[in-house]
Amino acid sequence: MVNLGKIIFNAVKKSYALSADGVSKMPKGTKFDLKNPYILEALPEQKIDEFVKFDGKDLKTVCEALDNGQIRKGFDSGELQALYKKAFPNGKPSPCVNDEGFAYMHLIPGRIGEQFDAHGIAKSSIYDQLVQLNNLLTKGIDKTKNFYTAPLALPAEKAAGAGPGLGASTAYKDGSFVIVADKGKKLLDDGIKHVIVNDAYYNILPDLQRKFPDVNFVRADEVVEYFSRL
């Protein structure tokens, strides 16, 4: 396994002179700087765009996170467009796209669903929902902006006061994806552990799983068994 973070850190470290006792004089708080030729040389070819988001951040923190698997590398714009074409070879989603998730996810028992904090990616176009998922998995949730979460499901007695409509007090289920925290955890505090993939993107689920191996992707028509097992 290539420890890219270690490679980058050592490359920058070598750019500084050594003190009399052989210790690098690299200043504390050195930043990850894409203008630094030593960093550019250490990065994988044609992958520089993936590291723009780290520019200006603490070098040591970025390098440690890279090697600890805390930073996910997502799809670039070209790959996202290719995935969309793979999902919709005819170029256009059907009018009833994502109906399966709306049906199956409402079958999750409330006593189970209330243990999972969730957020449905349901607004904007089908393509933009894929882009949003990619951003959330690579950059994390932006805590400086409003981000609403809700239980995946609720027992009938708790959902009774939610008003008219199915799941008014639970996460939206009519979009392409629902991001879910681990059991008993919170999305804003603990991050994304599971992603429910609706029928729009069933056939790219393996691609998503390969790109983000530390996240569990599950088809919408298998959610009842999946979350019941958890």
Side-chain angles (χ1 to χ4, degrees):
M1 180 178 178
V2 177
N3 292 322
L4 180 59
K6 186 176 181 180
I7 292 172
I8 295 171
F9 189 81
N10 286 337
V12 176
K13 188 176 179 180
K14 289 178 182 178
S15 69
Y16 290 91
L18 299 178
S19 61
D21 56 0
V23 178
S24 172
K25 292 183 178 180
M26 184 169 69
K28 290 184 178 180
T30 298
K31 303 298 182 182
F32 186 96
D33 184 0
L34 281 177
K35 295 179 182 178
N36 186 319
Y38 295 93
I39 290 180
L40 289 173
E41 187 176 348
L43 294 178
E45 291 185 13
Q46 300 179 340
K47 294 288 185 179
I48 294 176
D49 287 347
E50 296 182 5
F51 295 87
V52 171
K53 59 192 173 204
F54 307 133
D55 206 24
K57 295 186 178 180
D58 182 76
L59 175 69
K60 186 176 182 181
T61 300
V62 171
C63 292
E64 288 178 349
L66 282 170
D67 288 347
N68 291 335
Q70 297 173 17
I71 295 175
R72 303 187 184 114
K73 298 176 183 177
F75 298 102
D76 61 32
S77 59
E79 290 171 329
L80 287 171
Q81 291 172 18
L83 286 175
Y84 186 75
K85 290 180 180 178
K86 183 177 180 180
F88 305 103
N90 295 325
K92 190 176 181 180
S94 69
C96 57
V97 69
N98 289 333
D99 282 355
E100 282 201 13
F102 193 77
Y104 285 102
M105 281 187 270
H106 281 98
L107 298 178
I108 298 173
R111 62 183 177 77
I112 293 173
E114 67 177 342
Q115 300 179 63
F116 294 93
D117 190 38
H119 172 87
I121 302 176
K123 297 179 180 180
S124 70
S125 70
I126 300 297
Y127 175 74
D128 284 342
Q129 290 169 15
L130 177 62
V131 174
Q132 287 180 49
L133 176 70
N134 187 60
N135 287 338
L136 285 167
L137 290 176
T138 54
K139 301 176 182 178
I141 298 169
D142 186 351
K143 296 182 180 180
T144 65
K145 298 180 180 179
N146 290 331
F147 189 87
Y148 300 104
T149 69
L152 193 55
L154 282 173
E157 63 274 14
K158 293 184 179 180
L166 287 171
S169 60
T170 60
Y172 287 115
K173 301 174 175 65
D174 55 346
S176 299
F177 307 100
V178 179
I179 58 172
V180 188
D182 211 353
K183 181 180 177 181
K185 304 292 185 178
K186 294 294 184 183
L187 279 172
L188 284 168
D189 297 329
D190 305 292
I192 303 165
K193 183 63 178 178
H194 316 277
V195 175
I196 300 172
V197 180
N198 214 335
D199 60 78
Y201 289 113
Y202 277 173
N203 62 339
I204 68 162
L205 193 149
D207 301 273
L208 295 170
Q209 190 65 76
R210 282 192 295 270
K211 179 62 74 171
F212 306 106
D214 59 325
V215 177
N216 302 317
F217 292 86
V218 56
R219 290 169 56 110
D221 58 358
E222 296 176 355
V223 292
V224 175
E225 178 184 356
Y226 178 82
F227 285 98
S228 296
R229 187 169 65 248
L230 292 179

